[in-house]
Amino acid sequence: MGKAMEIQMSIKRKLKVMITVKMEMGLIMESFWGLMVGLLQLFVSAFLYFLPRKPSLTLFLSLDVLFLAAPIITVLEKMLPGIHWKRSWLKPSQNQVLIGRLFRAVCLGVSGVNHPTDQERILNWLREIFPSHVKLYVHNDAVAALASGTMGKLHGCVLIAGTGCISYGFAEDGREARASGAGPVLGDWGSGYGIAAKALTAVIRAHDGRGPQTMLTNKILKALSLSSPDELIGWTYADPSWARIAALVPEVVSCAEACDQVATKILVDAAQDLALSVKAVVQRLHLCGEDGNSSFPVVMVGGVLEANKNWDIGKEVVKCIQEQFPGAHPITPQVEPAVGAALLARNFLMKESTENFHS
């Protein structure tokens, strides 16, 4: 079902700019509604200080700085034919003029961007929207998530564990590495989908005698308003979407908190798998230093990692990581990944401007 998002920016003199984006085909874009005006003014003030040309405060706000939400695209193939921009309050001929005045850089964090060809496809789409002088940057959504925890600095590792999962990292010299993120079919068992799929499997195995009895049976059946484990088969394959399956994670956590051994093992295995993906990135990039004790940030993002009453998956993941890398410093971002994308756009633009100035 199509989603809609409104990005509203408000600063001095109550000048406002509204961009309405109409999205279809499963595209979800995060908004800035939760961004406090004070924080926005801080970013703008800091950036304007370094601008050689101050923005004009006329009919439209010409800030030369990007505050654009980072999209999370669940199915990359559906993006290009399924999105169009709607600005009913502007004539079509005015669109690029307005966008050109508002933005000098755009950074999108997109799930599924794993190869330069993926980036180029999205860049081609963006070039149809933005004027040629606007700098365009496209990265995996994990990069924006990392920046949201490090306030724009690309160093350290990010672990995302929601419906899916991925670990992504950057070294000080710019080298990057990733682990997981290939989907549950290819081994992302620490994801919400992976956890819930194992729970559903445990219920079926308990029902037909291949596995031990578990509280998961009654808990999941009640949550789905089903009367028998046999009905789980029809329910699962009627719509095997990842998010629909992953929504059962709270039931697994609830059973683990009640000391159900099957549910507990599922969560322990998930925590170890997530920690393993972080360890793989850390080792490949040598983030821990030669002695293995150097400090580095680990940004933790996603619903699976959020604290629960008694069974905290995120805490277990950090424990596993710090057993091998005591210098790992867990960070829970205080801003949305969309803000991380905005910070990246600003940093990339300033870096290019500095390099061009010295060249």
Side-chain angles (χ1 to χ4, degrees), residues 27-72:
L27 175 63
I28 303 174
M29 297 187 76
E30 300 177 59
S31 72
F32 280 119
W33 285 105
L35 185 62
M36 297 175 58
V37 173
L39 181 59
L40 177 58
Q41 290 177 331
L42 176 62
F43 287 157
V44 172
S45 298
F47 190 77
L48 295 185
Y49 180 81
F50 296 98
L51 281 180
R53 177 177 62 83
K54 303 306 179 184
S56 58
L57 294 175
T58 53
L59 178 60
F60 299 111
L61 197 60
S62 179
L63 287 178
D64 291 348
V65 62
L66 170 73
F67 286 98
L68 182 64
I72 299 180

Side-chain angles (χ1 to χ4, degrees), residues 211-232:
Q213 295 301 308
T214 171
M215 293 174 60
L216 289 167
T217 299
N218 291 333
K219 196 73 174 177
I220 290 178
L221 291 179
K222 182 178 180 181
L224 300 179
S225 300
L226 301 178
S227 58
S228 168
D230 290 325
E231 297 179 36
L232 277 178

Side-chain angles (χ1 to χ4, degrees), residues 100-288:
R101 296 186 65 187
L102 289 175
F103 304 126
R104 285 187 61 195
V106 175
C107 179
L108 266 66
V110 186
S111 64
V113 172
N114 304 314
H115 192 272
T117 56
D118 300 330
Q119 292 177 311
E120 191 59 32
R121 290 181 60 188
I122 299 174
L123 286 171
N124 289 336
W125 166 67
L126 290 175
R127 291 185 185 110
E128 297 177 2
I129 299 174
F130 293 93
S132 58
H133 74 273
V134 177
K135 298 293 184 179
L136 304 175
Y137 309 97
V138 176
H139 293 277
N140 189 283
D141 61 340
V143 180
L146 173 62
S148 71
T150 61
M151 297 309 291
K153 183 178 181 181
L154 290 183
H155 172 250
C157 184
V158 62
L159 174 63
I160 301 178
T163 299
C165 65
I166 186 173
S167 179
Y168 210 111
F170 283 84
E172 291 280 8
D173 59 8
R175 290 179 298 115
E176 56 188 281
R178 60 172 285 174
S180 298
V185 176
L186 298 178
D188 290 350
W189 294 112
S191 66
Y193 181 97
I195 292 171
K198 281 191 172 184
L200 290 172
T201 301
V203 172
I204 294 299
R205 291 176 66 89
H207 179 61
D208 63 19
R210 289 178 295 155
Q213 295 301 308
T214 171
M215 293 174 60
L216 289 167
T217 299
N218 291 333
K219 196 73 174 177
I220 290 178
L221 291 179
K222 182 178 180 181
L224 300 179
S225 300
L226 301 178
S227 58
S228 168
D230 290 325
E231 297 179 36
L232 277 178
I233 300 173
W235 179 88
T236 300
Y237 293 107
D239 178 13
S241 65
W242 291 13
R244 180 170 174 261
I245 302 296
L248 293 173
V249 169
E251 312 305 328
V252 184
V253 174
S254 178
C255 290
E257 290 176 343
C259 300
D260 181 82
Q261 293 185 0
V262 175
T264 298
K265 186 177 188 307
I266 291 174
L267 295 186
V268 169
D269 290 346
Q272 291 178 346
D273 189 73
L274 292 172
L276 186 62
S277 68
V278 172
K279 291 177 181 180
V281 170
V282 172
Q283 289 174 330
R284 288 166 61 187
L285 297 178
H286 304 290
L287 295 178
C288 57

